[in-house]
Amino acid sequence: MRAAFLTVTLAVLATAAAATYGGDISEYYDASTFRCTIQNGWSFVSVRSYCSYGGVDSNAPATLRQAIAAGLPYHDVYHFPCRSQDPTSQVRSDFDQVNGLFGMMWFDIETNPSPGCGWSGDLASNCAFLGELIDAAHGLGIHTGVYASEYMWGRIMGDSCHVGADKASPLWYAHYDHRPSFSDFQPFGGWSKPNVKQYWDGVGYCGINADADWYP
C-alpha cells in the first residue's frame, strides 16, 4: 500500500520485520482518531473506497487524507464490487477519486447484499468478472490484492478459480479466531500462503469501528 501497507515487495520484506497491525474501516475518521490508533499499535489502514451498491464511497478521500496527516505509515483502499456494473468503469470511478492517496486496491469478495449488485450463481462467470476487475486495475497501474475467506471464495468463485493468484494479486484472508497468526491458514484459490489476515471483527479502542488486521 510508497504510502501503502502492502505492495508485493513490502509483503516479502515484512517477513523479516516485526509484526504489523492495523485495521479496515468503512466510515470517516479524523486525524486525532488515527493518531490514537497509532499509539495503540496501528501502522496501516484499509479504507472502503467503493460501496456494495455500486458507487464510490465519498468519505474515502477525506479519510485517507486524515490518515496521512496523522502520520499513519501505510494506507490502502478496498473495493466492494457490484457484479452488474462494467468492471472497467467501476474501477476507473474508484481510482479517479482516490488516486495518489493509496498504495493498493483490494477487491472484497464476500456476499453482496445490495439489490442488483449481488454475485451471479454462475461461479465461472464470477471468476472471469474478478479477472476483469484486476485487469482494469492493472491497466491503470494499480497494485491489486484480493480479500476473501476460504468459505466465501468457494461459494462465490468456486474452488477451481485461481484468477487472483494467477494474476499475482496477494491474499488478505478473514478468519475470526482472535489470533494474529497464519498458523490456521489452509490454502485456497490458488494461494499457497496469505499476505494479510483479518483476525477479529472489532478493535475496541479510539472510538473506531474497525476490523483488526495483521501481517508478519
Side-chain angles (χ1 to χ4, degrees), residues 21-208:
Y21 293 83
D24 54 281
I25 58 176
S26 58
E27 301 172 25
Y28 170 81
Y29 294 102
D30 61 18
S32 63
T33 301
F34 286 118
R35 283 192 288 270
C36 176
T37 66
I38 292 168
Q39 292 168 0
N40 281 273
W42 274 26
S43 296
F44 68 84
V45 68
S46 187
V47 176
R48 184 182 65 188
S49 57
Y50 203 82
C51 300
S52 63
Y53 55 77
V56 298
D57 188 330
S58 59
N59 287 324
T63 301
L64 289 162
R65 291 188 179 99
Q66 292 296 309
I68 293 166
L72 197 64
Y74 309 119
H75 23 91
D76 283 8
V77 296
Y78 69 91
H79 179 112
F80 205 138
C82 175
R83 181 64 176 81
S84 62
Q85 289 185 343
D86 176 71
T88 300
S89 296
Q90 62 181 282
V91 171
R92 166 59 78 175
S93 295
D94 192 355
F95 178 69
D96 283 348
Q97 69 150 354
V98 294
N99 187 12
L101 299 173
F102 73 100
M104 282 186 68
M105 181 178 289
W106 299 85
F107 291 110
D108 186 346
I109 308 304
E110 60 181 304
T111 301
N112 187 323
S114 297
C117 282
W119 291 99
S120 168
D122 183 337
L123 304 189
S125 176
N126 290 337
C127 182
F129 185 82
L130 176 57
E132 293 181 66
L133 289 169
I134 294 171
D135 287 344
H138 288 175
L140 294 170
I142 299 171
H143 295 286
T144 62
V146 174
Y147 165 87
S149 67
E150 181 181 8
Y151 171 75
M152 283 293 178
W153 185 264
R155 183 177 180 183
I156 296 169
M157 296 293 161
D159 295 335
S160 63
C161 177
H162 294 178
V163 68
D166 288 348
K167 293 181 181 292
S169 292
L171 174 66
W172 167 17
Y173 77 108
H175 184 205
Y176 294 163
D177 60 357
H178 292 211
R179 294 194 305 163
S181 165
F182 290 160
S183 61
D184 61 305
F185 181 72
Q186 298 294 321
F188 68 92
W191 290 285
S192 60
K193 62 181 181 179
N195 290 74
V196 189
K197 179 181 179 180
Q198 185 183 82
Y199 65 92
W200 190 18
D201 63 352
V203 296
Y205 53 72
C206 300
I208 198 166

